[in-house]
Amino acid sequence: MKAEVAQQILLLELAELDAELSRLTHRVAHLPEQQRLEQLQTDQRNAADRLAVLGIALEDVDAQISRLESEVDAVRQREDRDRGLLDSGTVNPKQLEELQHELDTLERRQASLEDSLMEVMERREQLAAEQGTEQAGFDGLGQELIAAEQARDEVLAEIEQARTGRDARRTDLVSGLEAELLALYDRQRASSGIGAGRLIGGRCGGCRIELDRGEMARITAASDDEVLRCSECGTILLRVRGPGE
Ligand SMILES: [Zn+2]
């Protein structure tokens, strides 16, 4: 295949542009800002899970507290009733003994319930403190997430802007290229990722392999408008310089 030098210069610019576009795509796929955002999202989900566990534990403890409190109330009422009976002076000595015995038992029971209540209250205090710390962490993560999302969006917008400019230039270049040369470039690019590259220092611009002497002799002998391919990878080997060089 033959192509004028002007066509080869356009093709070189297209190849360089496509390499830049690939780099931009790669950058979008490996954005540190995106990774940071995802890490924060994971941290926030974990914090939400821990908060849910603490919430359940607090509900349990609250239920224990209500149960113990109503038990304490019931014991107190029983004591009041027994004391009322004792004070009334209407009980016989046998009943008196029984009532005093019951009051002793009730007092011990009340002391034990109050001890338990104290323990559960302490546990509640501890859980509430943990919940407070966890909630503060969760809220802080929410703030960080907003900032991280903003940072990610800003970088994406910058990349998108760079891509838009290059896409427009690409359209121009493609419309200026001969169909046959463009088709060859597209085929090669689809198969190896790089359609065309400059031949620099005897190395292929696609696979970077150094061409052997025989190849170099063939290339040197070829006319300027000859479309050369790398014998290793098939990349179109361009001997021209880019517009900015
Ligand atoms: Zn090659």
Side-chain angles (χ1 to χ4, degrees):
M1 193 194 293
K2 289 196 182 290
E4 285 171 22
V5 168
Q7 283 284 301
Q8 294 186 35
I9 291 171
L10 287 182
L11 187 63
L12 178 60
E13 192 185 343
L14 180 64
E16 285 170 354
L17 202 60
D18 280 340
E20 280 177 45
L21 284 166
S22 296
R23 277 196 291 276
L24 290 176
T25 303
H26 183 269
R27 224 187 125 192
V28 168
H30 300 88
L31 223 51
E33 288 82 359
Q34 178 65 32
Q35 283 159 14
R36 160 132 181 89
L37 182 63
E38 282 166 17
Q39 182 58 54
L40 285 170
Q41 283 166 338
T42 305
D43 291 350
Q44 201 191 37
R45 272 197 301 276
N46 293 339
D49 287 348
R50 289 193 298 272
L51 272 174
V53 169
L54 283 171
I56 291 168
L58 272 165
E59 277 175 29
D60 277 357
V61 163
D62 283 341
Q64 283 179 47
I65 290 172
S66 321
R67 206 190 60 228
L68 286 167
E69 279 172 347
S70 56
E71 278 184 55
V72 167
D73 275 352
V75 169
R76 243 182 229 137
Q77 279 168 26
R78 189 79 189 255
E79 283 174 326
D80 288 348
R81 195 206 63 168
D82 288 358
R83 277 204 195 88
L85 277 173
L86 277 179
D87 293 346
S88 71
T90 58
V91 290
N92 59 42
K94 189 173 183 301
Q95 286 171 317
L96 188 73
E97 199 185 322
E98 276 171 8
L99 277 172
Q100 256 154 1
H101 178 73
E102 186 175 277
L103 268 171
D104 286 346
T105 311
L106 286 170
E107 270 161 26
R108 278 198 303 275
R109 173 80 184 130
Q110 192 179 344
S112 149
L113 283 170
E114 276 166 359
D115 282 350
S116 300
L117 195 56
M118 195 74 86
E119 264 173 48
V120 179
M121 297 275 224
E122 270 170 28
R123 173 88 185 117
R124 193 195 193 287
E125 212 170 298
Q126 196 186 337
L127 283 170
E130 277 177 47
Q131 190 188 40
T133 308
E134 204 62 75
Q135 185 66 50
F138 181 84
D139 295 345
L141 280 169
Q143 293 297 316
E144 280 185 73
L145 262 172
I146 293 170
E149 202 168 346
Q150 206 175 336
R152 194 267 324 260
D153 289 347
E154 276 168 22
V155 175
L156 274 184
E158 270 171 41
I159 295 174
E160 200 44 49
Q161 201 183 358
R163 199 202 294 275
T164 304
R166 282 164 182 76
D167 279 342
R169 178 66 188 144
R170 191 180 195 283
T171 307
D172 282 352
L173 287 169
V174 163
S175 68
L177 277 169
E178 283 159 14
E180 204 188 345
L181 184 61
L182 182 63
L184 176 65
Y185 171 78
D186 285 340
R187 268 202 312 280
Q188 179 57 34
R189 190 164 157 247
S191 80
S192 75
I194 297 175
R198 266 183 74 190
L199 178 68
I200 303 171
R203 279 180 197 277
C204 162
C207 63
R208 311 272 164 193
I209 285 173
E210 201 165 340
L211 305 177
D212 65 30
R213 277 191 193 184
E215 275 292 294
M216 284 310 291
R218 182 177 69 88
I219 287 166
T220 311
S223 63
D224 286 349
D225 61 353
E226 189 70 45
V227 176
L228 300 166
R229 311 274 303 273
C230 169
S231 56
E232 292 292 334
C233 71
T235 294
I236 301 170
L237 290 175
L238 298 166
R239 292 161 290 169
V240 294
R241 285 179 182 279
E245 291 170 84

